[in-house]
Each structure stands twice: as structure tokens, then as C-alpha cells.
Amino acid sequence: MSFSVSLRDVTLKYGDTEALSDVGLTLEAGKIYGLLGRNGAGKTSLLSLLAAFRKPSNGEVLVDGRPVWENIDVVSRVALVREGGDFDDSETVLATLETGSLRPDWDGDYALKLAERFELPLRKKVRDLSRGKRSVLGAVCGLAARAELAMFDEVHLGMDAPTRDAFYKELLAEYIDRPHTVILSTHLINEVANYLEEVVIVDKGRILRHEDVEAFQNMGATLTGPADVVDTAAAGLNVLAEQRLGGTKSVTVASALDPQTRERVVEAGVEIGPVGLQDLFIHLTNPDRTGA
Amino acid sequence: MADTTLANRRHTLGFALGGGALKYFSGWIAAVVVLASALPPIIAQYRSIDISAWYIAANSGKIFTAIVSGIFLYTLLAGMIAQGVTRRELAVSLGWFGLLWSAALGALAIAMFLGEHALYSAFDWSQTLQGDGGETRLDSVGAALEFSARYPLVYLLYFTGGAIIGAAAYRSDWGWLVLVPVVPVVLALDGALMRTEVWGPGWASAVTGAANGLGTWQAVAVVLVAVAAGAWIVRGILLGTQIRAKQA
């Protein structure tokens, strides 16, 4: 039993500022979603609503078809791990893991197994953990919660590359073993792209796009081949990124290629590949806009 | 935790919080007990003993209790919601926490007042409660028991006051301003219940001494009503509280 998600005309305000504006979003149960957006786009706000951390200023937030706010049956099976986790810093790692037993489906043995695998020092106070280990503790809590809706908000921050890789693999293994709904919010788009089934892009408090990964990848293409041939093939197309190595060039374009164009460029010796999710994300969220 | 089925976890959590807090501060509490017990015999080597040392320790426990409830609530709120606990459950848990904490500290206060009375009687010292310009002598076991029996309730009063401040401070940046009504009310009810002198400077005595005319049982009733109202206020604040964004 994994949880679906539905937001209907949801607005969330912080004072006079609208973090989310009239958001409508439906996520089917039992899939892995990527939640992408630039800084301040509204990703964390959206996740906070799904975990009943916050209440919408307007609209309705349903998880498993039920209102999530103060709904014990729902929130006890929803896990949101925020960057750095929500821990009592004066507690030990072990005591923090034991707090998870408040959840009906908490798997303490799994938590300890993960703690050993990720080399978490059980007797150490949370406040004494490095940033990376703190992130790992959050990830372990999120996984061992065995939640029907598990959300990881920038949980990878501070983790080194091997740890991130191990976390994604563990997440996938857990998902295959026990299908549930997962939402990964991250800026490391290329790292998680292979794990995602659908992608939601949030921009300026609104849902910009919500498609399956294949649909995103078909919104553009990567053309690789002899530089002059690639330049000819890409002429007139919206070029997102270019790379050149010797006489070989790779160009990412934001336009889907029609069958005739595809045939023509393939015959000219150009390889066509899917567009990188990150390149497309940058394109869709306006590369001319800068900001932290 | 023993029973964490969804129907019962609010109760289990409350006792776990209370037990955990008592365990966490057990060293501090033990230090105060040792200090309050050891000082009179040491001071008696140099001068006569005519005030209750435990009275000072027990009174410091009131402020300590308010701080514990406020800080615990402020610190644990986000973590509890992140563990899938509802705000209603947290309010109930906090109630059990307050009752357990106040009962435990109150029982300790009673035991220490009676123990101190036995010690002072053995050495013919005077177990006197010394306030701002007023003195009450506990000249019998009954008097010591009658006075100290109020501590569980007065600790619960301070716990409730601390919880209101902690919840309001979390909910809003300006929430700490709730100190303005809460502190005088708690001090006034404390004064009425404990029959101690009016707290604070003269200009504040109109508020902090407002309930001093009440009889003992009237004061008990008013404090019980205030605790119940305070608990309702804490619940109300919690129910509308949004978890704050994390700071970078």
C-alpha cells in the first residue's frame, strides 16, 4: 500500500510572500519522482505540505486520498527527511534511531544494519557528527521508516560520492523490495536521473512541468559526431550545450527531431542520444536568470 | 518504547519524554539534593541554622521546571512532527510528561522537606521558610508535610507556564512576548498556593499578589483551573503551529 499524492489549487504563503501559487499536482502511488527546481522555487515548501510540516494557506493537500494535516494514519506513514535532518542534537545516534520506533512500520534492525553499512558511530552525539554523517543519519531514518511516502530533500548534501551512490542503490533496493512512493528533491540531477520514473519541475512557486523521464528525454536530443556535420545538423535548432574533443563534437538541442531530420543526420554519421535531464532543466528554468 | 501502536503512542511518548528528562537531569537533581543536604551540617559548625536549605532548592526547581518544559517543547517539536507524530498527540504527550515530571519532583520535594525536618529536629535547628520579609516556621512533621504537599501542583503550574512560552516562541518570532501575561499569572498563583511573600518589586505586587487572599483549597482549585486552561492553550498553539524552515 503506497501513497498517492494530490494537491488541489494549493497556495502557501510566508507572510506576504507566496512560496507556492495555485499548485495542482497528482502523483500516482508506487513510483520514484524527482522534484527539481532552482533555489527558492518552492520544492521544500511543497514537501513540507505533504508531510504536514506546514498547512496550506489555500487549497487541499491529499495523501492516499485523505487530508494529511493532523491525520495520524497518514502522517505516521509519511517520512520527510530534510537537509541535515530534524534531530535532537544532544541525543546519541543510537537514541535518535530508537526514536524512529514511534512509527508503526519502523524497522529497527534495518536501521542498525544501515548504520553499520554507512559507518555511523552509534554512541556519538548528533551534534558531534560531520555534515556528511548527519546526512547519512537522515537517510537511514528515512529508509528505515518503511514509509508509504518517503521524501528526501537534498539529503545528499555533505555525503561523499561513494556514500551518495550507496544511498541511491539502497533506496532503489528498498523500493524494489517494498514498492512505495519516493520523492527525491535534489540539485544533483544527473546523479539521480537513472533512478527516476517521473520528474516534476517547480519554478517560481508553480509546477512548470510534470512528465515521465522518457518524455523529458524526448524533448530534445544529443547529437554527437564530426564537428562540421553536427554543426550542420544543429543549425536552426535551440542549442543547450556544446562539447568538443578534437574533431568530434557533441551538441544538446532542446527540440525534438522529426523523423526526416533524424534520418538525415544519422546518414551523415551523427549519433542521436537522449537529452540530458540537467541540460533540459537548465533550459526550462531560464538560464538567463541567475541567483543563489 | 513499550507500546507504540498508533492508539497508544501519545501516552507511551509522554511517559518516555518524562522518564527521559528525569534521567537526563538526574545528575543535576542529585547534585542539588546533595548540596541542600550537606550545607546545613557544614554551616552549623560556624553558626546556628535557622532557615530551610531545601526550601531554596525546591523553589529553584520551579524555574527549572518551566525552563525544561519550554526548552523541551521548542527543541523537540520539529523532530516529533518529522517522526510522523501529530500535534494533538504531542499535546497529550506533553500532558503526561508534565504530570510525571511534576509528580517526581514534587515527591522528591516532600521527601526532602520531611527528611530535613527530621535532621533539623535532631539538632534542634529551626526549619524556617524565609521569604522577602516574611518567615514561616515548619514546627512539626504535619506542618512540613502540609507545606511541601503543594509542590507537585506548583511544579505542574510552572511546567504549564513554560510550555505556553515554549510553544508560543516556536510558533512565532514574537511568541516570547507571551511571557508578559504568563509570568505574573504564574507568580500570583504560586504566591497564593504556597502562602509565600509577594514576588517582584512593589509596583508589580498588585498583579503577583492578586490571589494572596485565597484560602488554601481555593488556591488549589484556582491553580487546577489555571493548569487545565494552560494545557488547553498549549494544545491550541500547537494545533496551528507550522514547522519552521531549516536555517542554512
Side-chain angles (χ1 to χ4, degrees):
Chain A
M1 182 189 71
S2 51
F3 283 171
S4 62
V5 165
S6 175
L7 283 83
R8 295 177 187 161
D9 305 321
V10 167
T11 296
L12 177 64
K13 290 183 181 177
Y14 298 109
D16 294 332
T17 309
E18 278 195 5
L20 295 171
S21 307
D22 290 323
V23 168
L25 178 68
T26 301
L27 304 180
E28 288 174 33
K31 288 186 175 179
I32 301 180
Y33 295 89
L35 181 64
L36 311 182
R38 300 186 63 179
N39 293 331
K43 305 184 296 294
T44 299
S45 296
L46 195 152
L47 297 179
S48 295
L49 291 173
L50 298 180
F53 278 35
R54 303 195 72 89
K55 197 174 188 178
S57 310
N58 278 307
E60 199 173 25
V61 180
L62 303 175
V63 171
D64 194 36
R66 296 173 281 177
V68 67
W69 185 259
E70 286 296 286
N71 188 328
I72 185 173
D73 287 328
V74 175
V75 294
S76 61
R77 293 176 172 86
V78 171
L80 167 58
V81 182
R82 300 197 289 180
E83 179 200 341
D86 287 288
F87 308 124
D88 176 0
D89 284 5
S90 64
E91 289 281 16
T92 62
V93 169
L94 182 61
T96 302
L97 293 178
E98 285 169 351
T99 309
S101 63
L102 283 166
R103 293 182 172 280
D105 301 317
W106 174 256
D107 190 335
D109 293 336
Y110 181 47
L112 291 175
K113 193 182 107 185
L114 290 174
E116 189 180 346
R117 180 179 168 193
F118 287 102
E119 298 174 348
L120 274 177
L122 294 177
R123 302 285 165 200
K124 213 169 187 177
K125 300 250 188 206
V126 172
R127 73 164 80 95
D128 297 329
L129 293 178
S130 66
R131 191 182 188 199
K133 287 294 181 196
R134 199 180 166 101
S135 295
V136 167
L137 177 60
V140 168
C141 289
L143 289 167
R146 304 284 198 197
E148 301 306 333
L149 169 61
M151 298 176 282
F152 298 91
D153 186 12
E154 301 284 0
V155 75
H156 58 270
L157 290 179
M159 290 183 193
D160 57 29
T163 306
R164 291 201 301 274
D165 185 58
F167 164 63
Y168 298 138
K169 283 177 177 156
E170 189 61 46
L171 181 74
L172 189 63
E174 219 272 306
Y175 173 75
I176 291 167
D177 186 45
R178 186 188 64 84
H180 58 290
T181 310
V182 178
I183 303 178
L184 281 174
S185 169
T186 181
H187 289 299
L188 301 180
I189 299 168
N190 284 340
E191 271 193 17
V192 299
N194 291 336
Y195 299 97
L196 305 179
E197 292 171 84
E198 293 188 17
V199 171
V200 178
I201 298 180
V202 185
D203 192 43
K204 295 181 186 170
R206 296 178 186 277
I207 304 298
L208 187 66
R209 293 287 176 102
H210 173 201
E211 308 276 358
D212 61 44
V213 168
E214 204 173 316
F216 269 109
Q217 289 173 333
N218 289 334
M219 285 179 189
T222 303
L223 310 178
T224 308
D228 54 338
V229 182
V230 168
D231 283 338
T232 307
L237 299 176
N238 187 357
V239 176
L240 302 181
E242 289 184 3
Q243 275 186 313
R244 187 170 181 145
L245 187 64
T248 303
K249 190 171 185 179
S250 179
V251 169
T252 303
V253 295
S255 327
L257 302 178
D258 58 62
Q260 291 84 358
T261 309
R262 278 180 171 269
E263 197 175 331
R264 182 169 51 79
V265 297
V266 168
E267 279 176 4
V270 174
E271 276 184 38
I272 302 176
V275 68
L277 198 53
Q278 180 159 299
D279 292 331
L280 195 61
F281 167 75
I282 292 169
H283 167 66
L284 290 172
T285 54
N286 186 3
D288 295 333
R289 225 171 71 220
T290 54
Chain B
M1 269 171 259
D3 183 358
T4 52
T5 56
L6 285 183
N8 290 316
R9 73 175 180 176
R10 66 196 65 189
H11 311 302
T12 315
L13 175 61
F15 284 104
L17 287 174
L22 287 167
K23 190 177 164 193
Y24 187 84
F25 290 112
S26 58
W28 294 36
I29 294 168
V32 170
V33 167
V34 169
L35 204 63
S37 307
L39 275 180
I42 294 170
I43 293 170
Q45 307 299 316
Y46 309 100
R47 51 164 289 187
S48 63
I49 299 295
D50 51 12
I51 60 166
S52 164
W54 183 248
Y55 178 59
I56 298 165
N59 278 355
S60 64
K62 296 175 191 172
I63 304 297
F64 180 56
T65 294
I67 292 171
V68 164
S69 77
I71 298 281
F72 258 66
L73 183 53
Y74 190 95
T75 309
L76 293 180
L77 183 56
M80 288 294 116
I81 300 299
Q83 290 291 2
V85 173
T86 65
R87 290 155 181 81
R88 279 192 186 84
E89 286 181 293
L90 189 57
V92 174
S93 305
L94 201 65
W96 285 120
F97 177 9
L99 286 169
L100 182 64
W101 174 272
S102 305
L105 253 60
L108 178 66
I110 293 169
M112 289 301 294
F113 267 109
L114 294 178
E116 189 183 64
H117 186 80
L119 179 72
Y120 279 32
S121 298
F123 290 99
D124 205 21
W125 298 336
S126 165
Q127 190 182 23
T128 302
L129 315 177
Q130 217 166 38
D132 297 337
E135 287 187 354
T136 307
R137 188 172 176 183
L138 303 178
D139 51 8
S140 67
V141 173
L145 183 61
E146 197 263 334
F147 176 75
S148 60
R150 303 164 203 209
Y151 273 93
L153 186 55
V154 84
Y155 285 144
L156 190 57
L157 175 68
Y158 275 82
F159 189 95
T160 309
I164 292 174
I165 295 165
Y170 188 92
R171 179 161 170 166
S172 157
D173 288 340
W174 295 99
W176 58 272
L177 284 173
V178 80
L179 277 163
V180 176
V182 168
V183 170
V185 167
V186 169
L187 293 181
L189 294 177
D190 176 6
L193 186 65
M194 305 305 286
R195 304 238 160 260
T196 49
E197 284 299 304
V198 176
W199 286 64
W203 58 265
S205 62
V207 177
T208 57
N212 273 26
L214 296 174
T216 302
W217 289 108
Q218 284 175 314
V220 168
V222 171
V223 170
L224 282 172
V225 168
V227 166
W232 191 254
I233 289 168
V234 172
R235 181 181 182 276
I237 295 171
L238 284 178
L239 285 184
T241 297
Q242 319 245 12
I243 300 305
R244 293 179 174 213
K246 298 200 76 168
Q247 302 299 314

